[in-house]
Amino acid sequence: MLTEAMAAAAAAGGTAVVEAAGSDLWAWFRTRCARLVGRGDPGREDEALDRLDRTATVLDAAGEAERERVRDVHARLWQGEFSSLLESLEEADRERFVAELRAFKEEFGDGVTGGAVSGNTFHGAVAFQAGSHSRQENHFGTSG
């Protein structure tokens, strides 16, 4: 039986999957998630990659009217996957797994809002800022 903290971590992992799907960071996330789920077994990693890709495909194909329902279903499916894995692990491995799921939550669970830039082209003077609560001062021209 999972503790409340483990169940919350599994739910956070499920949310992270649907938040990361379709984002610029999806390729990185899916690889990292598959490694976590595969736990060193290349066959299990490949199966996880297939399931992650199916999730991303279904989410991408969902129409506007059904998008939230489909996201909820897939978040719960991945929560179940993570819960099952947690139940099968030894205590020390559970702690590492929970820590990784919490990291997913921090990085992806509330929507992918920062941390990566992809496919941009800049011409001329550019001000670019990334991160939470960061501060930036820009001075363009010869007086800066």
Side-chain angles (χ1 to χ4, degrees), residues 34-35 38-46:
R35 283 185 187 143
R39 299 181 327 273
D41 180 324
R44 281 196 301 232
E45 265 186 50
D46 287 342

Side-chain angles (χ1 to χ4, degrees), residues 1-77:
M1 174 130 175
L2 294 180
T3 66
E4 188 174 316
M6 289 180 194
T15 299
V17 170
V18 298
E19 291 292 339
S23 75
D24 288 343
L25 300 175
W26 176 246
W28 174 81
F29 176 88
R30 71 185 275 280
T31 299
R32 187 170 152 198
C33 186
R35 283 185 187 143
L36 178 66
V37 171
R39 299 181 327 273
D41 180 324
R44 281 196 301 232
E45 265 186 50
D46 287 342
E47 290 172 6
L49 287 170
D50 288 343
R51 288 193 311 274
L52 286 161
D53 288 341
R54 284 194 304 270
T55 291
T57 299
V58 170
L59 292 173
D60 186 51
E64 191 68 38
E66 63 179 351
R67 186 163 290 133
E68 281 307 308
R69 183 191 63 76
V70 171
R71 288 171 57 86
D72 289 345
V73 166
H74 281 268
R76 285 193 304 273
L77 287 171

